[in-house]
Amino acid sequence: MGLSWMAWTWPTAAFFIFIALCLVAMAIWEWRQPGGAPRRGVLGLDTTRGDRLFITLLGSAFIFLGWLGFLGTPLWGALVISLAYGFVVFRWV
Amino acid sequence: MNNKTAYPKAWLFVLPVVALVAFNALIPLMTVVNYSVQETFGNNVFFFEGVKWFEEVLNSERFHASLLRQLAFTGIILAIEIPLGVAIALTMPARGIWASVCLVLMALPLLIPWNVVGAMWNIFALPEIGLLGQMINGMGIDYNFTQQPMAAWFTTILMDVWHWTSLVVLLAYAGLRSIPDAYYQAAKIDGASGWAVFRYIQLPKMKRVLTIAVLLRFMDSFMIYTEPFVLTGGGPGNATTFLSIDLVKIALGQFDLGPAAAMSLIYFLIVLLLSWVFYTLMMRDEEQ
């Protein structure tokens, strides 16, 4: 059975490879430093590393959608904001 | 501290679930992502379009209107079903034959298939032949849900409340029954009022089940399709065209698979965000 019905493109494949690599990196991080590094961040939420990745990915999706809805393409600005947002989440949330 | 025994082979037991989730969720989701950046005219031929469909959906008045209708519908039914469900659970007997009778009666609407609920309420509310339609018109109120948007909304909300309040009742009832008698006895000794018992004993003890009830009702109502589709078909006009009905119209009615895929991903992200916010807010106090 081929995968042509899934209509793969290189950009979407790269996107899923990035997500998969994030998960692999998180697994390695957990293996090196077990316990998930739970803490209470600036929002008063108890988060582990996995929670912080989830908040980063979900927030980034909305940053991209917001950029696209209000400013349109190109999306480099949204990428920069998402990276900064991810850093803030992993550092302080 | 952590005294669990490490047993790496245990991961193998998770594999069937991973395979199942991959087949019924991940692979279809990946396909939707792939569709959302392409145009197709059938025959498995695709043309790459980038983020065009996302831009189109985000700036579409039609999408904004269905999203607003969806948010209004979900807000209204949550505001009705959660307090009503808790109130009914509080009045149900704790034990004895009447407790069983109430539970069976409460469970009945949940057992009826969604399309049957839509068809039942369609006939029930028809102004010419339906009991509800005849009754409202008999009271001197001009009511026709097939022609008046407000009447269509009223009927859709009433139908959803009838169908799903039972779920909240059953969950709240289970939460109430898990409270030990000692709490009530202590409250009685302290001379606590009925409101104080509800506010400081019953409500906090029901928190977990109410979190589940709110989440389930939120997600179900936000993705509602069958009941309003059978009842009103999204009409009159577009008055009850909620997100899922609009999505099906775009995907299957117009065969615009690219825009439909982009819309469904935005829809999915909204459901995911709101569910996370609800869950986090409701569990926050408990963790503290």
Side-chain angles (χ1 to χ4, degrees):
Chain A
M1 188 183 78
L3 285 178
S4 64
W5 63 273
M6 283 183 80
W8 280 104
T9 66
W10 277 111
T12 50
F15 169 74
F16 284 113
I17 288 168
F18 169 73
I19 300 281
L21 286 177
C22 280
L23 294 177
V24 169
M26 294 297 286
I28 294 170
W29 195 355
E30 178 64 22
W31 175 62
R32 296 290 298 272
Q33 292 174 14
R39 66 156 186 247
R40 180 162 299 162
V42 286
L43 297 178
L45 301 175
D46 290 326
T47 57
T48 61
R49 261 181 235 129
D51 295 328
R52 295 193 276 276
L53 178 70
F54 176 76
I55 294 169
T56 302
L57 292 177
L58 189 61
S60 301
F62 279 95
I63 290 169
F64 273 91
L65 287 180
W67 186 282
L68 197 58
F70 289 111
L71 300 168
T73 49
L75 292 166
W76 296 112
L79 181 66
V80 172
I81 295 174
S82 295
L83 288 172
Y85 168 73
F87 174 76
V88 168
V89 169
F90 269 87
R91 183 73 185 81
W92 287 292
V93 172
Chain B
M1 290 297 285
N2 189 1
N3 53 6
K4 289 177 188 166
T5 312
Y7 183 56
K9 280 184 186 168
W11 286 102
L12 291 175
F13 294 114
V14 184
L15 275 182
V17 177
V18 173
L20 197 68
V21 171
F23 275 102
N24 75 5
L26 286 181
I27 290 176
L29 187 65
M30 284 174 165
T31 311
V32 172
V33 172
N34 292 339
Y35 273 48
S36 71
V37 293
Q38 297 179 88
E39 168 76 295
T40 180
F41 302 106
N43 288 332
N44 222 13
V45 178
F46 294 90
F47 305 94
F48 187 72
E49 295 282 2
V51 291
K52 180 181 157 188
W53 303 133
F54 286 94
E55 210 171 348
E56 195 178 287
V57 170
L58 287 168
N59 291 305
S60 140
E61 280 182 21
R62 177 177 167 175
F63 174 71
H64 296 165
S66 356
L67 180 61
L68 269 180
R69 278 191 288 268
Q70 187 67 72
L71 288 169
F73 176 76
T74 298
I76 291 169
I77 67 109
L78 281 180
I80 297 173
E81 289 177 14
I82 302 295
L84 183 64
V86 173
I88 294 174
L90 284 169
T91 57
M92 278 167 61
R95 50 187 72 84
I97 185 149
W98 288 109
S100 310
V101 170
C102 285
L103 285 173
V104 170
L105 284 176
M106 280 295 140
L108 275 179
L110 300 174
L111 301 176
I112 302 173
W114 297 1
N115 51 353
V116 178
V117 170
M120 263 169 53
W121 276 81
N122 188 317
I123 297 166
F124 182 50
L126 276 176
E128 299 85 17
I129 56 166
L131 191 61
L132 178 73
Q134 290 262 316
M135 198 181 76
I136 296 176
N137 279 303
M139 283 156 53
I141 301 165
D142 183 26
Y143 166 85
N144 186 345
F145 78 92
T146 60
Q147 287 171 10
Q148 301 156 336
M150 283 304 285
W153 267 79
F154 171 75
T155 318
T156 311
I157 288 167
L158 200 62
M159 173 184 67
D160 198 86
V161 168
W162 176 82
H163 194 187
W164 289 110
T165 303
S166 303
L167 180 74
V168 183
V169 173
L170 294 178
L171 286 168
Y173 186 76
L176 283 172
R177 294 290 74 81
S178 70
I179 302 172
D181 278 343
Y183 284 83
Y184 293 111
Q185 287 159 5
K188 203 170 182 181
I189 292 166
D190 290 344
S193 65
W195 168 251
V197 170
F198 173 70
R199 174 68 186 81
Y200 297 106
I201 297 176
Q202 291 170 323
L203 202 56
K205 286 285 171 191
M206 279 194 291
K207 195 166 184 178
R208 272 183 181 277
V209 285
L210 283 183
T211 304
I212 294 169
V214 170
L215 275 175
L216 283 177
R217 284 313 302 131
F218 163 71
M219 287 188 292
D220 266 355
S221 66
F222 211 80
M223 297 186 285
I224 192 165
Y225 176 76
T226 315
E227 294 140 301
F229 181 74
V230 176
L231 180 69
T232 63
N238 282 327
T240 52
T241 300
F242 302 121
L243 274 178
S244 56
I245 296 179
D246 206 18
L247 183 60
V248 172
K249 276 185 186 171
I250 296 173
L252 301 180
Q254 302 164 212
F255 203 67
D256 282 335
L257 295 183
M263 185 175 161
S264 54
L265 285 175
I266 296 170
Y267 191 0
F268 166 67
L269 286 170
I270 294 170
V271 173
L272 199 59
L273 176 74
L274 293 179
S275 302
W276 180 79
V277 169
F278 268 130
Y279 182 78
T280 308
L281 286 179
M282 296 187 79
M283 297 310 283
R284 195 170 154 175
D285 295 338
E286 193 156 311
E287 281 167 2
Q288 283 169 356

